[in-house]
């Protein structure tokens, strides 16, 4: 039966999970084949049930070792150290490089061609504990939310375009005044208060729950990529925003890495600026629709 199912799914030709749902009437969560505009075929996970379904998993941000400061595995910041001469770091927020596999999206970083190929309107984000198998992601998630204002229209239809307009690069501007957009979210699991509880108590004092924010800059002009579930109201973005460029000046190199300074006051302590262990040990899954 599984083989029949796979054979069936291999016949669909679609650019996104939204198209798989709309054109082929598929409504089950799981892995589907997609194709890019140039004909590259890849497989990814489709969430066909949240808020009408049709969500395509395009990336995951995973912290394999918070003690490694911009070392191997920090694909969403820098794998070549913390260095002012490497201001964009890996540059993966705004390039066509792909890595990882869908089944390992909670075990390591993941980025597929949908990240730059799909022209989308909204985003959905799941925080899923590391090493969770695909079929359990939705139930195991500690937070899930989506946007519903079609904000991606304003930024080119995907993160690839958005981050071309808001480069994730050291020294491109000042905290708050040059930050990218903050978009209100609708919670599918969690709420504004539970979101704040995942970040450190000091961080909690400078964030507002109920948003997803892009290219937040910190006090030292380091750029982060995504503040999941929150909007910054201060400049310690490195304690609640993930990803970034290749240089974080404060405490060099302690704030450089995919989960930046989430363990500034100890690993998973939830003291001072440190995020909770649950947050630290969950991958951030990014979907488009
Ligand atoms: O990023 C957090 C850092 O700026 C806090 O500094 O002196 O309270 O450890 P401090
Ligand atoms: Ca990583
Ligand atoms: Ca700081």
């Amino acid at each position: 039966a599984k083989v029949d199912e796979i054979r069936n799914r291999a016949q669909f030709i679609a650019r996104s999970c939204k198209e798989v749902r709309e054109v082929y009437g598929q409504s089950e969560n799981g892995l589907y084949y997609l194709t890019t505009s140039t004909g590259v075929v890849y497989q990814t996970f489709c969430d066909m049930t949240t808020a009408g379904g049709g969500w395509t998993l395009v990336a995951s941000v995973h912290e394999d070792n918070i003690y490694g400061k911009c070392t191997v595995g920090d694909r969403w910041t820098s794998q070549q150290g913390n260095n002012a001469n490497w201001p964009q770091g890996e540059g993966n927020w705004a390039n066509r490089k792909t890595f990882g596999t869908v089944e390992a999206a909670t075990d390591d970083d993941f980025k597929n061609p949908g990240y730059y190929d799909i022209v989308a309107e909204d985003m959905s984000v799941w925080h899923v504990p590391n090493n969770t198998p695909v079929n359990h992601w939705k139930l195991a998630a500690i937070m899930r939310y989506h946007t519903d204002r079609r904000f991606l229209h304003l930024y080119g239809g995907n993160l690839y375009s958005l981050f071309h307009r808001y480069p994730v690069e050291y020294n491109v501007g000042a905290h708050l005044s040059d930050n990218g957009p903050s978009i209100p979210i609708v919670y599918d699991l969690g709420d504004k208060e539970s979101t704040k509880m995942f970040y450190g108590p000091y961080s909690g004092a400078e964030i507002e729950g109920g948003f997803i924010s892009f290219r937040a800059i910190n006090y030292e002009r380091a750029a982060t990529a995504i503040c999941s579930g929150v909007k910054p109201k201060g400049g310690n973005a490195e304690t609640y925003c993930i990803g970034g460029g290749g240089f974080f000046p404060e405490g060099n190199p302690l704030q450089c890495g995919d989960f930046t300074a989430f363990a500034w006051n100890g690993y998973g302590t939830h003291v001072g600026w440190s995020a909770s262990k649950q947050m630290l040990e969950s991958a951030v899954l990014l979907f488009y629709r």
Side-chain angles (χ1 to χ4, degrees), residues 177-259:
S177 54
D178 295 307
N179 283 359
S182 288
I183 312 298
I185 57 175
V186 176
Y187 283 97
D188 298 300
L189 175 69
D191 56 38
K192 290 181 186 190
E193 287 313 307
S194 61
T195 302
K196 281 175 78 164
M197 288 303 293
F198 284 127
Y199 299 106
Y202 293 180
S203 307
E206 67 165 60
I207 55 183
E208 189 180 344
F211 293 87
I212 180 170
S213 303
F214 302 94
R215 216 280 299 274
I217 294 171
N218 78 2
Y219 283 126
E220 296 80 26
R221 302 175 78 84
T224 64
I226 293 182
C227 315
S228 181
V230 301
K231 176 182 186 171
K233 293 190 291 187
N236 291 297
E238 71 280 358
T239 67
Y240 47 83
C241 304
I242 58 174
F247 188 51
F248 289 73
E250 189 181 14
N252 179 0
L254 296 181
Q255 299 191 334
C256 204
D258 284 357
F259 278 12

Side-chain angles (χ1 to χ4, degrees), residues 10-32:
Q11 293 168 12
F12 309 147
I13 296 176
R15 283 272 290 281
S16 66
C17 296
K18 182 173 181 243
E19 221 176 284
V20 171
R21 200 176 198 291
E22 287 174 354
V23 179
Y24 300 100
Q26 299 299 302
S27 56
E28 263 186 52
N29 294 345
L31 304 185
Y32 290 85

